[in-house]
Amino acid sequence: MKPLRFWKPKESFLILQVSPERINGLLLGLSADKKIYARRYFEDTSWTNLAARTDLKHLVKNVIVAADSSLSYTATIPVALNRENPEEPLAAPELENLLSQAVGRVFNQCRQEAGRYLEMDDLDVVLVGSRVINFKIDGHHVLNPLEFSARKVEAVLELTLTVRSVLDGVKSILKNKPNFYFTETARAELAVLARDHKSPLSLLYLGEQRSICLIMEPSPVGQIFTRHPLKWSSLSIAQALTKEWGVDSGVAHRIYHLFLKSKMSERGSKTVRKSMEPVRISLMKAIDSVHPRGQVYVDSPLPLFMEMPLRRGKLSIEEVSVGELAKHFGFSIDEEGWPISVSQTMRYLAPFWEYYYDRSDSTVNRWLKRHLNWLGAQI
């Protein structure tokens, strides 16, 4: 029998993982000493079911929506803002006006790029998030440019867009209240890794519908993110076993996990390894085609059958250690009753950590988010 815990978490966070196939949710509790607890797990749910849950109403302040890369697109755009009165200290209204003008100039292009990437009509693509991730004043990096006298302000804008149906689903559970945080899961993972690593840094984000390689690299203004399609699907693992064994997808997954745990006969394991060889070759070709840089991490919804770290020429490809990241950030994880596999945990905790740090980072970003509704963000 599990011991009863007579405590109340300092805060609660609802993280929703949204993909074309399903919506999963993890309700986290965070104690005063930064210990993370899994309070509840919602598997393969829907917007309708979530909207009907009265027990989630108190979480409107801490709802984190993390969308798969097949449903969201994050663009980073370096911009240069020239001031008319460089001798005067930069005040908030002027900076707000400069940033709004810059976003206005690039928004339509970003929406068109997102539409092509998501294979959606531009009108079905909406802005759900914006932030400034770097500032320079006359060539010098600063955390906050306000009150500086300068001729030129440089910045890196980050715009996050999604398909309208996802935003409509979010609005249905929040009853049009604007309190939620939206991120692209792969982008959140790389942003969290970047807090502990120098650039260049790459993430191979493997998915069912879409896999991508995200690369963080330096620019004259600051760090920017670039994305490259990775022509490989995690579904190929089960598909190879389905073809070899003549079984359905569910049985193929069970066979695969038995193989990973070394719970198969020598003959069965040999057959699985033979089936996985074409899958391995296709993944290696896909990785080689995107030219990842720096330290390379891989995040897969299924544990990979290859030994890590994986050497590929001069590259070293590693799996993300969630435990080490948690320790680095000063968090601990209550592993008792943790409902998610190790291979899936980063996809929930990275958006949580990104939100945790984002909400305390910058007053500039807080008012920037409040002033972009005119660009079509329905938040």
Side-chain angles (χ1 to χ4, degrees):
M1 181 181 295
K2 293 182 180 180
L4 296 175
R5 293 194 181 100
F6 295 99
W7 56 271
K8 291 184 178 180
K10 181 182 178 182
E11 287 188 282
S12 292
F13 303 82
L14 177 63
I15 299 105
L16 299 176
Q17 270 293 332
V18 184
S19 70
E21 302 84 20
R22 63 189 67 89
I23 301 172
N24 294 338
L26 179 63
L27 179 60
L28 293 181
L30 181 66
S31 65
D33 60 354
K34 297 176 72 173
K35 190 165 190 174
I36 301 170
Y37 298 86
R39 299 182 61 191
R40 200 168 304 161
Y41 181 52
F42 308 93
E43 189 171 15
D44 202 10
T45 185
S46 67
W47 296 118
T48 301
N49 290 338
L50 290 170
R53 297 193 67 98
T54 58
D55 56 333
L56 299 181
K57 288 184 177 180
H58 67 289
L59 293 172
V60 292
K61 291 184 178 179
N62 292 309
V63 174
I64 304 164
V65 182
D68 183 77
S69 294
S70 58
L71 295 173
S72 58
Y73 178 89
T74 307
T76 53
I77 309 105
V79 295
L81 315 170
N82 295 309
R83 302 183 63 212
E84 294 182 359
N85 301 302
E87 69 283 352
E88 296 182 2
L90 180 62
E94 182 187 357
L95 180 59
E96 177 183 349
N97 183 53
L98 289 172
L99 289 173
S100 296
Q101 290 177 7
V103 174
R105 288 193 297 268
V106 301
F107 174 68
N108 285 333
Q109 179 183 347
C110 288
R111 184 162 64 173
Q112 290 171 4
E113 292 174 356
R116 288 193 295 268
Y117 174 79
L118 299 172
E119 299 178 349
M120 300 286 293
D121 187 282
D122 292 0
L123 296 177
D124 290 323
V125 177
V126 292
L127 178 69
V128 285
S130 60
R131 77 185 87 193
V132 183
I133 54 177
N134 288 290
F135 274 117
K136 288 179 79 173
I137 293 289
D138 286 344
H140 300 285
H141 284 282
V142 294
L143 292 177
N144 190 332
L146 294 178
E147 304 306 323
F148 282 91
S149 298
R151 183 174 301 276
K152 183 168 70 172
V153 180
E154 296 174 90
V156 176
L157 296 175
E158 184 177 277
L159 304 182
T160 302
L161 303 98
T162 190
V163 297
R164 191 175 298 276
S165 59
V166 171
L167 183 57
D168 288 343
V170 176
K171 290 166 62 178
S172 72
I173 67 171
L174 296 180
K175 313 302 183 188
N176 291 322
K177 294 181 180 179
N179 301 308
F180 74 96
Y181 182 80
F182 192 99
T183 189
E184 179 186 357
T185 305
R187 159 65 181 82
E189 291 191 19
L190 190 56
V192 167
L193 288 168
R195 287 183 171 269
D196 191 32
H197 296 78
K198 294 181 179 180
S199 63
L201 179 67
S202 302
L203 173 69
L204 306 172
Y205 181 87
L206 309 182
E208 295 181 10
Q209 294 289 329
R210 177 165 293 172
S211 298
I212 62 172
C213 174
L214 277 182
I215 302 175
M216 183 190 76
E217 48 196 344
S219 77
V221 179
Q223 307 296 343
I224 61 172
F225 296 84
T226 58
R227 72 177 60 226
H228 308 276
L230 193 65
K231 295 181 179 179
W232 192 86
S233 169
S234 62
L235 292 176
S236 60
I237 294 176
Q239 289 170 348
L241 294 175
T242 296
K243 181 179 179 181
E244 178 68 32
W245 294 67
V247 295
D248 63 27
S249 177
V251 174
H253 277 91
R254 289 195 288 273
I255 291 173
Y256 182 66
H257 285 289
L258 288 173
F259 168 73
L260 294 177
K261 296 176 182 178
S262 301
K263 292 185 177 181
M264 296 186 69
S265 67
E266 183 177 346
R267 182 179 178 182
S269 295
K270 184 178 180 180
T271 303
V272 173
R273 281 193 292 270
K274 179 182 176 182
S275 301
M276 290 298 101
E277 183 59 14
V279 178
R280 184 193 69 81
I281 292 174
S282 67
L283 178 57
M284 293 302 100
K285 287 182 177 179
I287 293 173
D288 291 344
S289 70
V290 295
H291 306 293
R293 299 178 57 200
Q295 178 59 58
V296 184
Y297 284 94
V298 60
D299 178 27
S300 171
L302 285 175
L304 293 178
F305 50 88
M306 295 166 285
E307 186 176 347
M308 296 290 176
L310 178 67
R311 298 292 177 181
R312 192 69 179 167
K314 295 182 180 180
L315 296 177
S316 176
I317 303 173
E318 300 181 24
E319 293 177 318
V320 178
S321 173
V322 179
E324 290 182 8
L325 275 177
K327 185 177 180 180
H328 174 77
F329 296 143
F331 290 84
S332 61
I333 301 171
D334 182 21
E335 297 181 359
E336 183 181 354
W338 191 259
I340 305 170
S341 66
V342 174
S343 62
Q344 290 280 353
T345 295
M346 183 65 174
R347 300 196 173 192
Y348 290 86
L349 292 190
F352 160 71
W353 281 322
E354 186 185 40
Y355 168 68
Y356 184 87
Y357 289 109
D358 178 84
R359 64 180 182 172
S360 60
D361 267 354
S362 170
T363 54
V364 173
N365 282 330
R366 285 197 290 272
W367 57 249
L368 179 62
K369 290 176 185 178
R370 291 197 301 266
H371 289 78
L372 289 180
N373 286 345
W374 60 277
L375 286 174
Q378 302 297 314
I379 56 179

